């Protein structure tokens, strides 16, 4: 007996969850996504897709699949294959085992975003069957992109955008949006500030220059900068209509009885408008200039390349997608691969099952009904993009 789309999707999701594809800045937590990519490749090649796998960085891979290379790409389904790390002690079940509990499907990446990937695979299989039956009815190809390292550097999407020669008419990025299309989002700029002072014996504080005190001033200054951002609101459509700044990690010092000579702060800025890296650095260093005048040495570095804002108008096509969703297009405060993929896609929408509020948490879950509804929606968008426009 042939399985339903949902049964097939759940089977795919089970296999995807079982692949440990965590991305982390901590080497002890970081994993290769190779097993997941090879599984996806076997599924798609079995359906007739042309697949290519690229090693982006050591042990991290992108997969690109094309239903019909001779046709232009009418629809690109894109998603990241990695997850954040999981603290097993906080979970009520194994994070790498898809577990049904109280009507919810639990597993690491269920919402962010292996649920969408499972739906992509089901959709790819069903569209391949339709193409085999009636290739002349297809005006464009369905392509798929599975990327690596979205949760850290976004190296996968960046590499694809830099090297792809194939332009998609519409790209759907399957981040969890509760089925609501996202057409704009903020950028992302991560920075590391290092404050250097001068060490000495703690019995004579004046003999040194305590970097912790310099860092304390820096944190207060950055907090003031964040308040200044909040006073400059943008036009409507944003739940947080201004650039934000968050201090995430701070460290420094070796022991209590020594004047600290080095302190380090990791922070982020999520700009509303397009800013060059040097503009962001100049803004920060100018705000911190009074600390440097006290004798502290300041060094600002960038752990990852900045992610640009996603900026686009609500086109007729995006309005059609919103109509199929039955929900209006939104602008959001978080950042996705969509702004990078926009370089090789005419239109981009972030649209997926599940909820971003469940992401990066213990007992992450998705509902079977959300997967079923997303399968239906993808089928409608495929009909809109791959065939209906041919007339």
């Amino acid at each position: 007996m042939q399985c339903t789309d949902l049964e097939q999707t759940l089977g795919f999701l089970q296999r995807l969850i079982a692949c440990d594809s965590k991305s982390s800045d901590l080497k002890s937590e970081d994993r290769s996504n190779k097993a997941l990519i090879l599984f996806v490749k076997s599924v798609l090649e079995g359906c007739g897709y042309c697949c290519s796998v690229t090693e982006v960085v050591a042990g991290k891979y992108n997969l690109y699949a094309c239903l019909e290379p001779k046709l232009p790409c009418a629809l690109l389904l894109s998603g990241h294959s990695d997850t954040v790390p999981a603290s097993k002690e906080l979970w009520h079940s194994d994070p790498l085992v898809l577990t049904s509990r109280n009507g919810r499907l639990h597993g690491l990446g269920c919402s962010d975003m292996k649920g969408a990937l499972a739906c992509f695979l089901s959709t790819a299989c069903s569209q391949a069957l339709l193409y085999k039956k009636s290739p002349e009815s297809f005006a464009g190809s369905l392509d798929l992109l599975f990327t690596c390292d979205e949760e850290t550097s976004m190296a996968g999407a960046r590499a694809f955008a830099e090297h792809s020669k194939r332009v998609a008419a519409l790209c759907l990025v399957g981040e969890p949006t509760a089925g609501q299309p996202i057409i704009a989002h903020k950028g992302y700029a991560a920075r590391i500030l290092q404050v250097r002072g001068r060490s000495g014996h703690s019995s004579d504080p004046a003999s040194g220059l305590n970097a912790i005190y310099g860092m304390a001033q820096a944190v207060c200054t950055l907090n003031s900068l964040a308040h200044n951002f909040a006073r400059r609101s943008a036009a409507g459509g944003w739940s947080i209509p201004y650039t934000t700044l968050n201090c995430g990690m701070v460290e420094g010092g070796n022991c209590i009885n020594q004047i600290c000579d080095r302190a380090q702060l990791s922070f982020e800025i999520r700009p509303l408008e397009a800013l060059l890296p040097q503009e962001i650095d100049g803004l920060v260093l100018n705000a911190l200039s009074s600390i440097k005048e006290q004798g502290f040495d300041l060094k600002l570095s960038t752990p990852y390349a900045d992610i640009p804002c996603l900026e686009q108008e609500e086109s007729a096509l995006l309005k059609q997608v919103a109509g199929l969703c039955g929900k209006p297009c939104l602008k959001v405060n978080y950042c996705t691969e969509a702004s990078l993929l926009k370089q090789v896609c005419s239109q981009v929408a972030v649209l997926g099952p599940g909820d971003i509020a469940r992401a990066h948490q213990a007992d992450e879950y998705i509902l079977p009904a959300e997967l079923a509804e997303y399968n239906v929606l993808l089928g409608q968008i495929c009909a809109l993009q791959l065939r209906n426009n041919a007339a």
Side-chain angles (χ1 to χ4, degrees):
M1 183 173 67
Q2 187 175 4
C3 65
T4 66
D5 285 347
L6 180 58
E7 289 171 335
Q8 184 184 50
T9 299
L10 294 179
F12 288 144
L13 182 57
Q14 184 178 35
R15 291 291 302 272
L16 293 171
I17 294 294
C19 295
D20 186 357
S21 55
K22 297 190 291 283
S23 289
S24 176
D25 296 318
L26 300 173
K27 289 186 178 180
S28 61
E29 293 283 357
D30 199 43
R31 301 287 185 272
S32 171
N33 68 335
K34 186 175 183 179
L36 185 149
I37 292 297
L38 291 180
F39 165 67
V40 170
K41 182 173 182 283
S42 68
V43 170
L44 293 176
E45 286 185 337
C47 293
Y49 284 77
C50 300
C51 296
S52 62
V53 174
T54 304
E55 188 171 23
V56 177
V57 295
K60 302 297 183 80
Y61 299 84
N62 279 357
L63 177 142
Y64 192 84
C66 181
L67 178 59
E68 178 47 78
K70 294 179 182 178
L71 291 175
C73 178
L75 177 61
L76 173 63
L77 301 179
S78 179
H80 62 84
S81 62
D82 58 326
T83 70
V84 295
S87 300
K88 286 187 176 182
E89 66 276 8
L90 300 179
W91 282 68
H92 289 86
S93 55
D94 189 334
L96 298 180
V97 176
L98 184 65
T99 304
S100 178
R101 191 166 64 248
N102 299 322
R104 298 174 173 180
L105 298 171
H106 295 269
L108 181 60
C110 264
S111 270
D112 186 20
M113 55 170 288
K114 292 183 176 181
L117 299 187
C119 291
F120 286 174
L121 291 178
S122 290
T123 297
C125 292
S126 62
Q127 293 302 313
L129 287 175
L130 291 172
Y131 183 71
K132 288 176 183 177
K133 291 179 181 178
S134 180
E136 70 280 356
S137 67
F138 277 67
S141 174
L142 173 64
D143 293 6
L144 297 97
L145 171 66
F146 285 44
T147 63
C148 63
D149 274 16
E150 187 271 349
E151 298 291 1
T152 51
S153 65
M154 293 199 182
R158 196 184 306 278
F160 177 78
E162 289 175 356
H163 300 293
S164 177
K165 294 180 174 60
R166 193 165 164 86
V167 176
L170 173 64
C171 173
L172 294 185
V173 178
E175 291 283 1
T177 67
Q180 190 142 21
I182 306 303
I183 62 167
H185 63 60
K186 294 180 178 179
Y188 184 81
R191 294 292 185 270
I192 297 175
L193 174 67
Q194 190 173 83
V195 177
R196 284 196 173 274
R198 187 173 62 256
S199 187
H201 197 283
S202 62
S203 62
D204 184 8
S207 67
L209 187 63
N210 197 316
I212 290 177
Y213 295 154
M215 182 59 76
Q217 294 178 59
V219 170
C220 290
T221 299
L222 292 176
N223 188 44
S224 295
L225 186 59
H227 285 298
N228 289 336
F229 289 152
R231 296 189 188 100
R232 300 195 294 271
S233 293
W238 300 91
S239 57
I240 302 178
Y242 49 83
T243 295
T244 60
L245 186 154
N246 177 67
C247 295
M249 295 187 295
V250 64
E251 58 180 316
N254 297 311
C255 56
I256 296 176
N257 62 343
Q258 182 184 36
I259 298 170
C260 174
D261 67 349
R262 184 196 64 83
Q264 183 169 289
L265 170 71
S266 299
F267 66 98
E268 62 164 38
I269 294 177
R270 294 177 183 260
L272 268 175
E273 66 280 359
L275 292 174
L276 295 173
Q278 55 266 34
E279 291 178 301
I280 294 174
D281 292 352
L283 183 69
V284 171
L285 290 174
N286 182 63
L288 299 173
S289 58
S290 63
I291 300 172
K292 193 169 184 178
E293 291 169 0
Q294 299 173 42
F296 293 103
D297 180 54
L298 305 183
K299 180 181 178 182
L300 193 63
S301 59
T302 304
Y304 315 125
D306 294 352
I307 308 299
C309 305
L310 175 62
E311 300 174 295
Q312 58 184 346
E313 297 298 322
E314 188 176 357
S315 65
L317 176 56
L318 293 175
K319 287 179 180 178
Q320 284 182 295
V321 172
L324 293 174
C325 297
K327 299 177 181 179
C329 294
L330 289 181
K331 302 174 182 179
V332 296
N333 307 310
Y334 52 85
C335 187
T336 77
E337 293 176 324
S339 56
L340 295 169
L341 298 178
K342 184 68 173 65
Q343 300 173 40
V344 289
C345 302
S346 299
Q347 305 284 314
V348 181
V350 184
L351 176 63
D355 195 317
I356 193 69
R358 305 173 198 157
H360 302 190
Q361 296 189 43
D363 291 335
E364 180 181 356
Y365 72 90
I366 200 166
L367 303 177
E370 293 172 330
L371 297 172
E373 290 168 4
Y374 192 59
N375 277 337
V376 172
L377 178 60
L378 287 177
Q380 293 172 331
I381 295 175
C382 283
L384 171 71
Q385 279 301 103
L386 305 183
R387 292 179 296 279
N388 285 0
N389 287 356

